[in-house]
Amino acid sequence: MSVALGTTRPLPVRTTPVGDPGDLLASLPRTAPYAWVKNGEGLVGWGEAARVAVPPGPGRFGWAREWLATVLGDAHVDDAVRTPGSGPVAFGSFTFDEDAHGSVLVVPQAVLARRDGHAWLTTIGDAPLETYSPMSPIHGPGRISYGDGSLSALQWEHVVARAARRIRDGRLEKVVLARDLLATAERPIDVRLLLTRLARRYPECYTFSVAGLVGATPELLIRRTGQEIESLVLAGTTPRGTGPADDLARGAALFASPKDRHEHECAIASVRQTLAPLCSSLETPDEPELLVLPNVQHLASHVSGRLADGASVLDVVAAMHPTAAVGGTPTGTAIEVIRELEGMDRAGYAGPVGWIDAHGDGEWGIALRSGLVQGRRARLFAGGGIMGDSDPAAELAEAQAKFRVMQYALEG
């Protein structure tokens, strides 16, 4: 059900240029903050002008696009900025599995943004423009204790071994398996503290918060600016080294690894096959590059193109999700194996997360390195691509390294 401030009249929307707001995350209130920030730029929001639980099913992205068009189509918009992300904006999170409940779109009552040298504030309703610093003190969560999620570490290693056997038997080329870890804090977890720590530690990632799903993902699923689109494909991972020499050696081994290179090639082929029918032009690199983050290194490829028609960013998200990087190859078979072996509901983990404006522009990432936060508890997620020669212990170590992102956010 959607909510529109208890009124049936069109939403009054006003976007006004503002001075440099400084740290965007410092403007967020404690309750239900929304965020999409990278290198200090992006959008943050608070309040709810409209919200909807998106019904599950294969048509969910089309349903969400139509709902958004209905809510924003008749809005009275006074936009003095007129750039992607100005005017009314919806933040969204979609579950990994199309049949799972939990997908949501929210139009915040206020959005503060800084992009490409411009800063602006959008408000919906009668909120005064000058009151966009609703900051209240941030308190730490205290001591954090951890417990097994859906599977223990040993059980998950057995799942990885079973999946590798399926691949060697020829059923599929690759499957991405995830696991969860439960964290319990002494005091309620303030999402703003997690966002601040993640943004400072991982500035090259997209730090996000939507409806309790919080994280910092390195993977840009799609950015639409007019007819231009961009994507960053990550597949193939190794932990950082113990020092500069070990770091370089690990990066070189990752780049030379037949297993990881094949995993990356599967991911690029999946994106190319998906985007080509939507684009009048599409460019994918011949070789990946190394993306070095504080905790891991990835094989990464930048993809760019131009849409052939007026598809919105949600239309492109619908075509791309799930990618081979988070599902597997072939995707349909991989999803069946995930449902059979993984033993948990991923919720929004590895699903699309991001924002869309009234013109169909937006940025959506894949919700990796993330957790679902509620009160004193957080459910953390991590995973990795499984190939026929995958070693269960090595895959467990990779997942543990990825957990460290959210563990750092909780513990500092």
Side-chain angles (χ1 to χ4, degrees):
M1 178 179 295
S2 63
V3 179
L5 296 178
T7 179
T8 57
R9 64 185 176 88
L11 296 175
V13 182
R14 184 182 178 195
T15 297
T16 302
V18 298
D20 187 347
D23 183 0
L24 291 172
L25 297 172
S27 296
L28 287 170
R30 182 180 180 87
T31 305
Y34 302 93
W36 179 264
V37 176
K38 178 184 179 182
N39 281 323
E41 293 202 339
L43 297 81
V44 298
W46 57 91
E48 290 184 2
R51 180 187 180 109
V52 72
V54 180
R60 58 186 178 151
F61 293 105
W63 189 98
R65 184 193 61 238
E66 292 177 9
W67 176 84
L68 198 61
T70 299
V71 170
L72 301 184
D74 295 329
H76 290 164
V77 180
D78 177 9
D79 184 357
V81 178
R82 297 187 179 277
T83 192
S86 67
V89 168
F91 287 78
S93 167
F94 288 83
T95 57
F96 171 81
D97 192 323
E98 65 180 22
D99 293 333
H101 291 271
S103 300
V104 64
L105 278 177
V106 179
V107 180
Q109 194 172 2
V111 172
L112 180 64
R114 178 175 52 223
R115 297 185 69 210
D116 303 325
H118 301 282
W120 63 90
L121 175 69
T122 297
T123 57
I124 296 179
D126 301 322
L129 285 173
E130 60 272 18
T131 58
Y132 65 82
S133 278
M135 185 67 169
S136 57
I138 294 177
H139 300 288
R143 188 176 61 86
I144 307 293
S145 59
Y146 296 97
D148 285 336
S150 304
L151 299 176
S152 69
L154 183 59
Q155 288 172 323
W156 195 74
E157 284 186 306
H158 288 317
V159 167
V160 170
R162 292 175 63 190
R165 284 197 296 271
R166 301 285 179 88
I167 295 168
R168 292 194 298 271
D169 290 342
R171 283 195 58 189
L172 70 169
E173 291 185 65
K174 167 191 169 183
V175 63
V176 180
L177 293 179
R179 63 183 302 250
D180 58 349
L181 182 69
L182 302 181
T184 303
E186 285 185 281
R187 295 183 289 275
I189 299 167
D190 193 327
V191 167
R192 298 172 303 169
L193 179 63
L194 308 188
L195 292 172
T196 299
R197 286 173 173 171
L198 290 171
R200 289 177 179 171
R201 181 72 176 267
Y202 304 98
E204 295 297 325
C205 292
Y206 296 90
T207 299
F208 60 87
S209 172
V210 179
L213 184 67
V214 182
T217 179
E219 191 147 357
L220 177 67
L221 180 62
I222 197 70
R223 174 188 295 118
R224 177 193 185 267
T225 307
Q227 296 301 100
E228 304 297 325
I229 59 171
E230 301 173 65
S231 182
L232 177 63
V233 179
L234 305 181
T237 306
T238 189
R240 291 293 300 272
T242 56
D246 187 31
D247 223 22
L248 288 173
R250 286 172 180 262
L254 176 65
F255 202 82
S257 163
K259 179 260 186 188
D260 290 290
R261 289 297 291 266
H262 181 59
E263 180 183 347
H264 193 83
E265 288 165 7
C266 288
I268 282 291
S270 171
V271 170
R272 187 185 299 115
Q273 182 180 7
T274 300
L275 289 180
L278 301 175
C279 294
S280 57
S281 63
L282 185 66
E283 296 183 9
T284 58
D286 295 328
E287 291 279 327
E289 59 188 54
L290 282 176
L291 175 64
V292 181
L293 300 174
N295 61 321
V296 294
Q297 301 182 62
H298 295 291
L299 293 179
S301 290
H302 293 267
V303 177
S304 61
R306 183 171 180 82
L307 292 173
D309 56 26
S312 83
V313 70
L314 275 183
D315 294 318
V316 186
V317 169
M320 294 185 70
H321 178 76
T323 66
V326 294
T329 307
T331 302
T333 304
I335 297 301
E336 292 176 4
V337 172
I338 290 170
R339 288 170 173 166
E340 179 187 352
L341 298 184
E342 201 169 71
M344 72 173 193
D345 175 11
R346 290 188 180 188
Y349 171 74
V353 62
W355 62 270
I356 177 175
D357 67 17
H359 302 289
D361 289 326
E363 293 178 314
W364 289 77
I366 299 175
L368 307 176
R369 322 292 196 271
S370 59
L372 273 173
V373 178
Q374 185 174 21
R376 296 190 303 114
R377 293 176 174 80
R379 184 179 174 218
L380 314 185
F381 301 93
I386 310 303
M387 308 294 287
D389 58 351
S390 288
D391 173 58
E395 297 296 341
L396 179 64
E398 179 180 322
Q400 299 286 48
K402 292 173 179 175
F403 274 136
R404 285 301 306 157
V405 173
M406 289 302 296
Q407 288 177 309
Y408 164 79
L410 288 166
E411 300 168 11

